[in-house]
Amino acid sequence: MKSDTSADLPIDPRDLQDWTEGWILAGATHLPNVAEVSRTMESPDAVSDPNLPITTEPRSDRTTSQKNMPIAMTAMTLDEKQNRLQVLAQRVARCVRCQELAETRTQTVFGVGDPNAKIMFIGEAPGADEDREGEPFVGRAGQLLNKIIEACKLTREEIYICNILRCRPPENRNPLPAEAENCREYLDGQIEIVRPEYIVCWGSVAAKNLLGTDSPIGKLRGKFYEYAGAKVLCTYHPSYLLRNPPAKKDVWEDLKFLFCEMGITLE
Ligand code: URA
């Protein structure tokens, strides 16, 4: 008798679709049988194999302070990066892990910029403007960020910009730890694909979540940290600068420190 394969599956067929998309983008021409796939999903060791596609469930074995996130061994072409980011963005657009955010968002806000960017900016979460436009940092804080980018003699398009969360928290409240954890796989996926040399965490929510620390942002500034092979610098969030303009000079110091590390002098 012919069995109903979907009824036998230990995972939702929609998750399988995500998996197959990931395998195909990773260059696979044959898929392993279902038993192998389900074993792989259950084993934290196997899941951390850098050659496997991104998992579809929140990673219970992954701590927020994880520094040894697997880095794919092979270099990706720009095309491959674009394709993988697109697949990940589609997965994010379907995400309902955080019920409240999924019910209240207009759309998900994935990230923008150069998939080959040397520098990645990580903010907190989309606000009302970002939720409406589907792009990070397009509101007032984003306008200020654009000015900062310009002062660094860069363009937005040369950087990769994303957030800890890909959905707007209602009333712009801070992301809940569970929301950041749910979204972490997507952030790590973006970092793994873009593989920036430098990451700037804008504000304490970005810094604390990426680095898994409770230190205040003022204490985190002025040093490089390491995450997934990138040097991480923490500075004040542009929204804080809007409320507290004198802190702009501190951010400028931080950026000079970053560019000095990159061998570039900012005036
Ligand atoms: N603030 C953030 O942290 N991210 C955005 O995308 C917009 C405002």
Side-chain angles (χ1 to χ4, degrees):
M1 198 177 76
K2 215 167 159 228
S3 74
D4 174 353
T5 333
S6 66
D8 294 342
L9 292 180
I11 50 177
D12 188 315
R14 282 167 306 187
D15 290 344
L16 250 190
Q17 185 193 338
D18 288 343
W19 266 84
T20 48
E21 284 168 359
W23 281 97
I24 291 161
L25 283 174
T29 52
H30 298 77
L31 293 176
N33 66 37
V34 169
E36 279 176 41
V37 171
S38 69
R39 264 204 312 278
T40 305
M41 288 187 76
E42 282 157 14
S43 156
D45 288 341
V47 170
S48 61
D49 179 340
N51 296 315
L52 291 180
I54 296 150
T55 59
T56 55
E57 292 298 317
R59 288 275 305 269
S60 56
D61 60 312
R62 181 168 281 183
T63 65
T64 46
S65 61
Q66 186 180 44
K67 291 185 180 173
N68 57 350
M69 190 187 80
I71 301 170
M73 302 309 280
T74 53
M76 275 178 268
T77 64
L78 180 61
D79 257 13
E80 283 166 339
K81 286 185 171 201
Q82 276 164 340
N83 287 341
R84 287 191 57 179
L85 286 170
Q86 198 185 346
V87 168
L88 191 57
Q90 285 164 357
R91 200 178 288 174
V92 166
R94 297 195 292 268
C95 183
V96 289
R97 285 176 187 172
C98 309
Q99 195 188 347
E100 186 189 20
L101 304 191
E103 282 172 358
T104 53
R105 73 185 178 213
T106 305
Q107 59 190 314
T108 54
V109 179
F110 182 66
V112 285
D114 182 0
N116 272 333
K118 219 172 176 177
I119 309 175
M120 178 181 277
F121 282 0
I122 303 179
E124 182 177 324
D129 298 302
E130 291 76 21
D131 174 71
R132 192 172 50 245
E133 295 195 27
E135 183 170 330
F137 283 105
V138 292
R140 275 188 76 218
Q143 301 308 316
L144 179 54
L145 189 68
N146 288 349
K147 284 190 187 156
I148 296 171
I149 293 171
E150 216 178 291
C152 295
K153 309 237 177 325
L154 288 173
T155 62
R156 239 176 113 91
E157 292 70 33
E158 290 173 276
I159 298 165
Y160 191 87
I161 307 176
C162 59
N163 282 308
I164 293 295
L165 295 192
R166 272 130 209 80
C167 296
R168 179 191 182 203
E171 315 301 328
N172 297 341
R173 64 160 168 73
N174 277 352
L176 302 175
E179 292 167 347
E181 185 61 27
N182 284 343
C183 222
R184 185 52 173 263
E185 182 193 338
Y186 304 134
L187 174 64
D188 280 343
Q190 284 165 296
I191 295 172
E192 195 176 341
I193 295 167
V194 176
R195 282 190 235 170
E197 286 176 42
Y198 302 91
I199 294 176
V200 180
C201 287
W202 292 92
S204 62
V205 169
K208 287 180 181 188
N209 278 289
L210 188 79
L211 301 173
T213 173
D214 275 331
S215 296
I217 189 73
K219 282 241 162 69
L220 293 170
R221 294 178 51 235
K223 277 191 221 100
F224 284 105
Y225 304 84
E226 196 270 336
Y227 188 80
K231 289 184 176 167
V232 180
L233 183 81
C234 305
T235 193
Y236 296 120
H237 193 281
S239 301
Y240 173 72
L241 301 183
L242 289 171
R243 297 191 303 271
N244 187 11
K248 285 181 188 173
K249 65 175 181 340
D250 297 325
V251 169
W252 190 237
E253 286 307 312
D254 293 338
L255 292 171
K256 284 204 284 193
F257 181 55
L258 168 71
F259 279 83
C260 178
E261 181 70 17
M262 294 171 72
I264 298 167
T265 309
L266 290 181
E267 266 109 61

